[in-house]
Amino acid sequence: MGELLLGGRRTGRDHVVEDPDPGKAFPGGVIYLSFPGLGDRLAARVAGEIGEHIGQFDSPNGLQCYAGKAPVTRRSGKSDFVVARRLAHNRYLGDAVHQWAFCSLTRSGWAREFYNAKITAGKSHHNALRALGNRWLEILWHCLTKGVCYDEDVHVANRNRALGRAA
């Protein structure tokens, strides 16, 4: 699966592609593999479900809705309630993102912090993973549209700035 994403076989201790063939590589394959929690198989699964053209999604919310991770609010008169899951969505992508969120808990410090905050707020395990997967899809969309690999330090700095924390 890693060969499909990178266009060549990875060898050695550093897992470097020995004979890269960019023509056979999946567009953005290096970006997918830069995310914590996405190994060869799971990254290939997510990439295959999203497709080659990230431009088909106008915003991160479009990608989140496609994966079924964005919350749906139903309003009627004075009542508002949130439906946990969309009925029409790509279930394969949704399942892969859910697994990605779980795998990222041990590999990303901010992901564990985000998950623990949701659990502390009274959310269930699956609700917390759905919210974390939603966040990962937003970050993935930004990385793919800008063509940059994921960098944990940059993301944590941006997150702290947005939350008003000191670095």
Side-chain angles (χ1 to χ4, degrees), residues 6 9-19:
L6 297 174
R9 186 180 186 117
R10 293 194 288 181
T11 60
R13 194 173 282 234
D14 297 330
H15 300 289
V16 179
V17 178
E18 58 186 23
D19 293 325

Side-chain angles (χ1 to χ4, degrees), residues 65-102:
C65 291
Y66 180 66
K69 295 299 174 189
V72 180
T73 304
R74 302 280 187 218
R75 293 184 176 96
S76 175
K78 295 180 181 178
S79 65
D80 289 349
F81 66 95
V82 176
V83 177
R85 184 175 283 269
R86 293 182 174 277
L87 294 178
H89 67 277
N90 185 331
R91 284 172 174 72
Y92 301 110
L93 179 59
D95 291 343
V97 170
H98 196 79
Q99 187 175 358
W100 174 20
F102 182 73

Side-chain angles (χ1 to χ4, degrees), residues 31 34-35 139-140 142-151:
I31 296 172
S34 69
F35 281 89
I139 298 165
L140 176 64
H142 283 289
C143 288
L144 288 173
T145 54
K146 294 176 183 174
V148 297
C149 290
Y150 175 77
D151 185 3

Side-chain angles (χ1 to χ4, degrees), residues 5 18-19 21 25 42 44 58 63 70 72 76 82-83 96 99 110 114 129 135 156 164:
L5 290 174
E18 58 186 23
D19 293 325
D21 187 2
L42 194 54
D58 297 335
L63 179 59
V72 180
S76 175
V82 176
V83 177
Q99 187 175 358
W110 78 264
F114 183 87
L129 285 181
R135 189 59 52 98
V156 169

Side-chain angles (χ1 to χ4, degrees), residues 16-52:
V16 179
V17 178
E18 58 186 23
D19 293 325
D21 187 2
K24 293 182 180 177
F26 190 85
V30 176
I31 296 172
Y32 285 101
L33 291 172
S34 69
F35 281 89
L38 278 182
D40 289 352
R41 292 180 183 163
L42 194 54
R45 195 169 151 199
V46 170
E49 293 300 330
I50 291 175
E52 296 179 4

Side-chain angles (χ1 to χ4, degrees), residues 109-128:
W110 78 264
R112 174 53 83 173
E113 179 185 326
F114 183 87
Y115 173 83
N116 289 342
K118 292 295 181 185
I119 295 296
T120 304
K123 302 291 183 187
S124 70
H125 169 70
H126 292 289
N127 284 342

